[in-house]
Amino acid sequence: MPAPTIRPRRSFIFTPGLRPEMFPKALATGADIVCVELEDGIAPKDKAAARASTMKLFESPQADDGVERIVRINSLREAFGMADVQAVLAAVTPPPALMMPKVRTPDEVVLLDNLLTERGHATRLHVIIETNAGLEAAHDIAHCSSRIDAMFFGGVDMAAELRCRNEWEPLLYARSRVVHAAASAGLDVIDVPYLDLDDLDGMKHAAIQARDLGFCGKGAVHPKQIAALNDVFTPSPDEIARARRIIAEFEAADTGLVVIDGKLIEKPVLREMHRIVAIADRVGAVGN
């Protein structure tokens, strides 16, 4: 399987699978990730229609526009989720990535990985940690499949499971544990959307808190949130210049460490430097 592509994941937004006409609009919002929704946002009576419409979206070649396309399937522990997987396996041109909700154990991810491998699909995986069982197993989940590109923290469901308020401090331990698990496997980690559409200042503050804790991006529930999210998670020009310099120094030195401005820098930091450069390239591509 080819190595995962390092790319910016500063922001993501959902678009309903039941309304395929909204997909191009979502792709034009400036979000780094657009996720077609088949799970919580779709009523049970509409699941089959949403699934069919979503799979049809990927029958045509996708534009090389820098936007990552994902489909959030239903949980593999539900019949709807198994039907989603069967549709993906039957497709000649499957979605490039699937988001797995309510993941509780590594077995779920390994099962889907094996099915995709048997079918010959290169589809990538993103997992949401939003249950107490998933939080307990987060480290093992992060390491269970080379298809995983990112972990998402689902704060609403997590707060319900933990019987706590859906606020920063009560969920700090859970968030930290997900960040730790993702970092241990070299995965990106993305925070839950901020639900108050009228409080952009509050959303920006929450995004800064998430960034400083180790998250690389945060979800949006409305396009008007995306510009602020991209701004928070975009490195400064100085950080971008430093990242390019570190990458160049390592390429020239061909060793596991270099000294820059009197500071020892080891090779594990390279992934973060490449992510910063990927964000810089994305910013240049979309002009924001």
Side-chain angles (χ1 to χ4, degrees), residues 51 74-87 111 115:
R51 182 185 307 117
N74 291 273
S75 170
L76 265 63
R77 297 175 181 273
E78 302 172 358
F80 289 128
M82 295 307 297
D84 293 339
V85 171
Q86 288 175 336
L111 171 63
L115 290 171

Side-chain angles (χ1 to χ4, degrees), residues 5-8 23 27 31-32 58 60-69 96 281-282 284-286:
T5 300
I6 296 176
R7 60 192 308 161
F23 186 52
L27 293 172
D32 289 332
F58 295 96
S60 302
Q62 299 294 306
D64 185 13
D65 53 10
V67 181
E68 188 170 11
R69 286 125 164 104
D281 293 342
R282 165 77 170 145
V286 301

Side-chain angles (χ1 to χ4, degrees), residues 198-227:
D198 296 323
D199 185 11
L200 287 179
D201 288 340
M203 185 209 67
K204 186 170 183 178
H205 177 69
I208 291 171
Q209 287 180 304
R211 180 198 67 193
D212 292 348
L213 190 63
F215 285 91
C216 67
K218 189 172 178 66
V221 292
H222 191 277
K224 70 180 183 180
Q225 297 177 319
I226 291 171

Side-chain angles (χ1 to χ4, degrees), residues 21-250:
E21 74 276 7
M22 294 183 66
F23 186 52
K25 298 176 183 178
L27 293 172
T29 59
D32 289 332
I33 300 172
V34 168
C35 186
V36 184
E37 170 69 316
L38 295 181
E39 196 217 7
D40 285 348
I42 304 295
K45 66 181 179 62
D46 295 324
K47 295 281 191 184
R51 182 185 307 117
S53 295
T54 296
M55 297 310 299
K56 189 172 289 293
L57 287 174
F58 295 96
E59 289 179 356
S60 302
Q62 299 294 306
D64 185 13
D65 53 10
V67 181
E68 188 170 11
R69 286 125 164 104
I70 303 177
V71 172
R72 179 161 77 167
I73 61 174
N74 291 273
S75 170
L76 265 63
R77 297 175 181 273
E78 302 172 358
F80 289 128
M82 295 307 297
D84 293 339
V85 171
Q86 288 175 336
V88 171
L89 296 176
V92 176
T93 54
L98 300 176
M99 181 184 289
M100 302 180 65
K102 300 178 177 64
V103 174
R104 297 182 183 181
T105 66
D107 294 346
E108 300 168 55
V109 184
V110 172
L111 171 63
L112 183 52
D113 185 336
N114 288 341
L115 290 171
L116 291 168
T117 298
E118 182 181 53
R119 177 63 174 86
H121 286 343
T123 302
R124 306 297 299 173
L125 299 177
H126 298 248
V127 298
I128 310 178
I129 303 299
E130 53 187 334
T131 69
N132 196 33
L135 187 64
E136 183 69 21
H139 182 274
D140 291 339
I141 291 170
H143 289 265
C144 74
S145 168
S146 61
R147 288 183 186 267
I148 301 175
D149 285 337
M151 300 185 82
F152 288 68
F153 177 70
V156 176
D157 284 13
M158 184 67 73
E161 285 239 335
L162 298 178
R163 303 188 299 275
C164 71
R165 294 172 66 91
N166 181 19
E167 296 176 356
W168 182 260
E169 289 189 3
L171 288 174
L172 180 57
Y173 168 76
R175 273 190 171 91
S176 299
R177 186 157 180 161
V178 174
V179 169
H180 179 267
S184 72
L187 305 176
D188 284 334
V189 59
I190 301 165
D191 195 30
V192 64
Y194 190 81
L195 300 180
D196 190 341
L197 290 178
D198 296 323
D199 185 11
L200 287 179
D201 288 340
M203 185 209 67
K204 186 170 183 178
H205 177 69
I208 291 171
Q209 287 180 304
R211 180 198 67 193
D212 292 348
L213 190 63
F215 285 91
C216 67
K218 189 172 178 66
V221 292
H222 191 277
K224 70 180 183 180
Q225 297 177 319
I226 291 171
L229 291 176
N230 286 347
D231 182 62
V232 168
F233 290 101
T234 296
S236 69
D238 287 346
E239 290 172 319
I240 293 170
R242 180 174 179 270
R244 294 190 189 279
R245 182 182 173 193
I246 289 174
I247 292 170
E249 291 279 355
F250 269 107

